[in-house]
Amino acid sequence: MNKNKILLVDDELSLRETISELLNYENYDVKTACNGQEALDLLEYWSPDLIICDIMMPVMDGNTFHEIIKEIHSLNSIPFIFLTAKKENNLMRKCLLDGADDFIYKPFKIKELTSIIESKIERFEKIKNNHTNLYLGKKKYFLHEINTPLNGILGSIKLLMKDEGSLDRKEVLAFYESIKMSGERLNRTMQNIILYQNLKNNSIKFNDNSSSEILNTFLNTKEKIFKIYEGQEKRISFDIDKAIIKFSQEHLEFIFFELIDNALKFSSADKKIIVSGTKYDDKYYEININDSGIGLSEEELNKIGASQQFNREEREQQGLGLGLFLSKNIIRESKGVFSIISKENEGTAIKIFLPLYKTTNLD
């Protein structure tokens, strides 16, 4: 039987250890963080059934953490309990009005805490059972991402069947290419949804013995990308050293495709995307993907999550906003490191460190 998962966020080590031990004894799966930023890092690859959070903490306090959680659609339905020693007037009322599910003062009785946890998780289970735990963004965007390629496929087939006798071979091939491109777009959408669901359910096995040659994988992916961005090959400048990465080729192709596609999509046609790769040390290979596109603000960077898109109408985005989220999580699950720096109207720089196989000398 799967245990219910609890995230405990508190800067007091002794209290974290005590509560964690008690909740483990009550058969909960508990992860801990010492501040809101550390908790956000955890939530990028792990989704709890309940969050217990202190208010006063260094780096990122509980209120700021809660505000960010409320803006992430895949997380904002998770029950959130504030735990604090503060005795400020109307503090409980303020936190509850801001959307917290409950509020407990320190010191407290463990029975009081477990009773609240049980009731909140029971409510959350009912929500999960009645709704898919995959947030797909606004319904109109999800329907758009399914219907647009589907209409492209069905419309092209309809015209082929109707005008088959009057079309020359070149026109027929153009319809076939349109059907193929629409099918690939639809397939990509559905595969990303399945991958997201599998990641959330912890059902993907990351094999420590997986390997791929990074330059060949990049070149194969680049070829696939420019079937979509036809005639725009000069937009990518790359310098990638050969190396064998301790990473599956399927996942590496996915990451290259999603991150380079984003860079191209959010950069003007006269701006180059620069991709570089080199051995960092004996353990890691470093990949850099830089663009001079529209970039993201600091607030937007903090809110990156599954299906999170920003100003979609202004930026004319396609997709469901899963690519960056999935790439980050696959890299971290595979013992890699992912970082992103972005500034509005200046561009985005992504740095990735992936583990190397010991035999990397291909010269």
Side-chain angles (χ1 to χ4, degrees), residues 63 66-67 70 80 82 89-103:
N63 286 321
H66 185 224
E67 287 299 315
K70 288 193 299 182
F80 196 105
F82 274 118
N89 289 337
N90 295 322
L91 180 60
M92 178 186 290
R93 177 182 293 180
K94 180 181 182 301
C95 289
L96 294 177
L97 288 174
D98 284 343
D101 291 84
D102 219 316
F103 191 99

Side-chain angles (χ1 to χ4, degrees), residues 7-228:
L7 173 59
L8 173 63
V9 191
D10 198 300
D11 63 325
E12 190 178 332
L13 177 59
S14 61
L15 185 64
R16 284 202 315 272
E17 290 178 343
T18 301
I19 296 176
S20 180
E21 186 176 339
L22 288 167
L23 293 178
N24 280 322
Y25 180 77
E26 295 289 334
N27 207 33
Y28 291 107
D29 177 13
V30 183
K31 288 188 185 293
T32 64
C34 65
N35 58 62
Q37 184 57 60
E38 189 174 299
L40 284 175
D41 293 340
L42 265 173
L43 290 171
E44 288 186 351
Y45 62 89
W46 184 77
S47 183
D49 299 300
L50 182 104
I51 298 171
I52 302 171
C53 185
D54 190 14
I55 293 179
M56 298 296 292
M57 296 180 292
V59 184
M60 182 187 290
D61 64 27
N63 286 321
T64 304
F65 173 56
H66 185 224
E67 287 299 315
I68 292 172
I69 290 294
K70 288 193 299 182
E71 296 297 321
I72 300 176
H73 296 290
S74 58
L75 300 175
N76 63 14
S77 62
I78 297 172
F80 196 105
I81 300 172
F82 274 118
L83 185 68
T84 185
K86 290 180 70 178
K87 299 297 182 181
E88 183 181 312
N89 289 337
N90 295 322
L91 180 60
M92 178 186 290
R93 177 182 293 180
K94 180 181 182 301
C95 289
L96 294 177
L97 288 174
D98 284 343
D101 291 84
D102 219 316
F103 191 99
I104 300 175
Y105 283 110
K106 302 174 187 176
F108 57 87
K109 293 180 179 179
I110 190 64
K111 189 173 181 181
E112 175 192 8
L113 180 62
T114 56
S115 177
I116 292 172
I117 288 171
E118 286 173 11
S119 66
K120 300 304 176 185
I121 286 181
E122 184 179 353
R123 179 185 67 82
F124 187 50
E125 287 294 329
K126 289 178 181 177
I127 293 172
K128 287 199 297 183
N129 290 336
N130 289 322
H131 301 85
T132 174
N133 65 341
L134 171 59
Y135 174 75
L136 295 171
K138 291 184 178 180
K139 186 178 180 181
K140 64 178 181 179
Y141 299 152
F142 173 65
L143 294 177
H144 173 79
E145 288 306 315
I146 299 299
N147 286 334
T148 299
L150 190 57
N151 288 339
I153 294 168
L154 296 176
S156 295
I157 291 173
K158 183 178 179 180
L159 288 170
L160 275 172
M161 293 175 69
K162 180 182 176 182
D163 301 322
E164 183 179 8
S166 61
L167 296 173
D168 61 31
R169 178 169 175 75
K170 188 175 180 180
E171 290 172 321
V172 170
L173 289 175
F175 275 116
Y176 285 159
E177 185 61 29
S178 174
I179 292 169
K180 182 173 180 289
M181 287 182 65
S182 293
E184 287 173 347
R185 177 177 169 183
L186 181 59
N187 180 63
R188 181 183 171 194
T189 296
M190 300 312 296
Q191 290 302 316
N192 282 5
I193 291 171
I194 292 168
L195 180 57
Y196 171 83
Q197 197 69 55
N198 288 338
L199 273 172
K200 280 294 182 183
N201 293 336
N202 297 316
S203 58
I204 295 181
K205 303 300 181 185
F206 292 89
N207 189 346
D208 286 341
N209 294 320
S210 295
S211 66
S212 53
E213 201 290 302
I214 195 158
L215 178 58
N216 288 335
T217 303
F218 169 78
L219 293 174
N220 290 338
T221 309
K222 179 172 171 282
E223 187 177 332
K224 292 177 183 177
I225 288 172
F226 286 115
K227 287 180 180 178
I228 299 172

